[in-house]
Amino acid sequence: MTSLAALLEEPVLDAAPRLLGATVTTRFDGALVVVRLNEVEAYVGADDPASHAFRGRTRRNGSMFGAAGTLYVYRSYGLHWCMNVVTGAPNVPHAILLRGGIVVEGRATAVQRRGRSEHLADGPGKLTQALGVLGEHDGTSVLTGPVRVELPDHPPPESRIVSTPRIGISKAVEEPWRFVLEHRD
């Protein structure tokens, strides 16, 4: 099985779908929350008009230029924190937006943080809020920092992974770089 560190060194379009089924874990103020990822999107840096790094490095997007596994946390529309995991080589700003998941542990904490009991982590801002991730976590590592990502012992079969155009963006919308874990009963 590939380690997370090795996976995140791979090209972003290869790594992104393989994060499906992974867990994101936080423990802030003693409160543990674990979310299993079921939706991600890939952003291909300087070559991708929808990427925050398309126009180069700024104070806001500096973490995208970090080592594989760096967490890039930013405000979306001034309202919600969102988070990406950097992939590939340093100074090549490729990243995977963690778009959504299912709370598998710490539901009561996620409900308290979200102020509701439904739709706890089914969107990038909701996911980040349920986990308690804030701007102060920008630049930390998902390998060693306070927000941890772990690959599943048994990854979902490729037949359950659906590739679609990205959503919530206005440029390069036709790229099929949104990856969703299809739910089957």
Side-chain angles (χ1 to χ4, degrees):
M1 177 178 7
T2 303
S3 72
L4 178 63
L7 174 66
L8 294 176
E9 289 178 0
E10 293 182 15
V12 68
L13 294 174
D14 294 335
R18 293 176 52 207
L19 273 186
L20 295 172
T23 56
V24 183
T25 302
T26 59
R27 185 184 300 270
F28 299 129
D29 299 322
L32 174 73
V33 176
V34 181
V35 174
R36 184 166 315 283
L37 295 174
N38 62 14
E39 183 180 359
V40 298
E41 279 182 353
Y43 288 87
V44 190
D47 297 326
D48 182 354
S51 172
H52 290 175
F54 182 66
R55 288 191 163 74
R57 188 179 193 140
T58 66
R59 191 168 51 109
R60 177 188 188 208
N61 71 14
S63 294
M64 285 186 77
F65 293 80
T70 299
L71 193 66
Y72 167 48
V73 180
Y74 65 93
R75 277 272 195 206
S76 177
Y77 302 108
L79 299 172
H80 309 287
W81 293 109
C82 294
M83 64 180 158
N84 290 253
V85 177
V86 174
T87 67
N91 296 312
V92 179
H94 293 182
I96 301 167
L97 173 64
L98 306 183
R99 280 202 59 85
I102 298 169
V103 176
V104 294
E105 196 168 339
R107 182 175 173 77
T109 299
V111 167
Q112 180 182 16
R113 288 177 179 157
R114 292 274 301 121
R116 63 185 313 151
S117 60
E118 297 176 347
H119 302 285
L120 292 176
D122 62 348
K126 297 173 190 179
L127 169 69
T128 305
Q129 185 178 23
L131 287 163
V133 175
L134 303 170
E136 66 196 53
H137 301 114
D138 180 50
T140 61
S141 171
V142 298
L143 304 171
T144 60
V147 179
R148 298 286 179 101
V149 174
E150 293 182 27
L151 294 177
D153 290 334
H154 303 287
E158 287 185 32
S159 63
R160 288 191 52 210
I161 297 173
V162 178
S163 172
T164 75
R166 296 177 294 187
I167 58 176
I169 57 174
S170 59
K171 298 175 182 169
V173 295
E174 71 285 351
E175 299 295 354
W177 296 342
R178 174 178 172 248
F179 301 96
V180 179
L181 188 57
E182 184 179 59
H183 178 73
R184 293 185 185 162
D185 292 325

